[in-house]
Amino acid sequence: LIYSLACVGAGSAILRVIQTKNADISAVTFFSTSFILGEGILASFWLGLALLGYFNKVEIIGVLFICLILLFLFSRNQIVAFLRQIKTLFTEILNETLIWKIIAFLTLLLNLAWGTSLGRTILGDGSAIYFALPKIIAASHHLISLPGYESVSYLGLQGEMHYAALMALGSPEAAQLFSWPTIFAGSVMLLALGRKVGLNRRGQWMTLAMVFTSSCVILLSGDGKTDLFAAAFGLSAYYWAIRTWEIKINKQDALLTGLFTGFTAVAKLSYIPVMIPGIAFLVCWGYIEKIVEKRSRRISIEELV
């Protein structure tokens, strides 16, 4: 929990720098964006420490402490808004019909059931590289290649560096569970994207249920693999790409789209040929639409004059 809050703090600090106006997004979306962005920033920072040979417990705790301070400095108002939004959400559930109360309850239960993956034995790719490499990094305090996997020991490591940090803090169990808040935050971004294109609250509950009943999420729960990190980055990239379609051209939204797209590409190279053209199309389509609207408005004004 402390580590997750530190990720939110790191992300909220970056948002404060590049995204000055957050009033038009909900507090839950803000925190999910901050968390996922903070994951990318911290993983990159941990990688730098590992390359320098300073990946030690003291340095990790120091960075996390600074991130927690940043969280309360930059997000105090958002924390209050977040609690209010959660309260409103549960009030909406209580006012729903019985069938939708059941759907909401079962969806939340499916989400909480992820905690049972803590007792899962890590096998396959998880035991071969995704958990083995972080264990070596945590023990040696610097980045070294995993014997037998030298060619892939330096690729991405967006999820692996978080695993290594949590292992260095003495909690491999937390490392095994860390993909849980990651996919939940990614799901929130998916729901926010759905709201952006017209999905109502019931549709959002159905979407969340679809995520946590998907074979991909179930098979990867506590598995030790890092695919869900790339998925969370990708969903965030699509959300902020759609936001570039707003009436006014917002460079901050485009910058966040680029950051999340870059983190996605680093976390999962196979996403590059499919995702980057799609993100580029969405962003370019939005800008072209704005240019056409501006020209049409200018022509209409000239004709009126």
Side-chain angles (χ1 to χ4, degrees), residues 28 66 150 261:
V28 174
I66 293 172
E150 289 83 1
T261 303

Side-chain angles (χ1 to χ4, degrees), residues 26-28 31 75-88:
S26 70
V28 174
F31 273 101
S75 304
R76 286 174 294 180
N77 296 333
Q78 291 291 343
I79 292 173
V80 175
F82 174 80
L83 295 175
R84 287 176 180 170
Q85 189 173 353
I86 295 299
K87 181 181 178 181
T88 301

Side-chain angles (χ1 to χ4, degrees), residues 171-252:
S171 184
E173 295 83 9
Q176 188 176 357
L177 280 182
F178 191 61
S179 53
W180 180 9
T182 299
I183 189 56
F184 184 75
S187 300
V188 171
M189 300 309 298
L190 177 62
L191 301 184
L193 178 60
R195 174 71 78 174
K196 205 72 179 172
V197 296
L199 201 65
N200 62 18
R201 185 68 74 195
R202 291 181 175 181
Q204 287 181 313
W205 280 114
M206 293 300 294
T207 302
L208 188 62
M210 290 167 66
V211 171
F212 283 96
T213 55
S214 68
S215 58
C216 170
V217 171
I218 292 173
L219 290 173
L220 294 176
S221 62
D223 176 69
K225 295 183 70 174
T226 59
D227 300 62
L228 296 180
F229 289 87
F233 286 130
L235 291 170
S236 302
Y238 279 111
Y239 171 78
W240 288 98
I242 291 295
R243 272 185 58 90
T244 60
W245 292 16
E246 300 293 339
I247 297 175
K248 294 182 179 180
I249 294 178
N250 193 329
K251 294 181 180 179
Q252 288 83 2

Side-chain angles (χ1 to χ4, degrees), residues 12 42 58 68-69 106 142 162 189 210 219 225 243 286:
S12 62
L42 277 182
V58 175
L68 289 173
I69 293 176
L106 291 177
H142 65 91
H162 291 296
M189 300 309 298
M210 290 167 66
L219 290 173
K225 295 183 70 174
R243 272 185 58 90

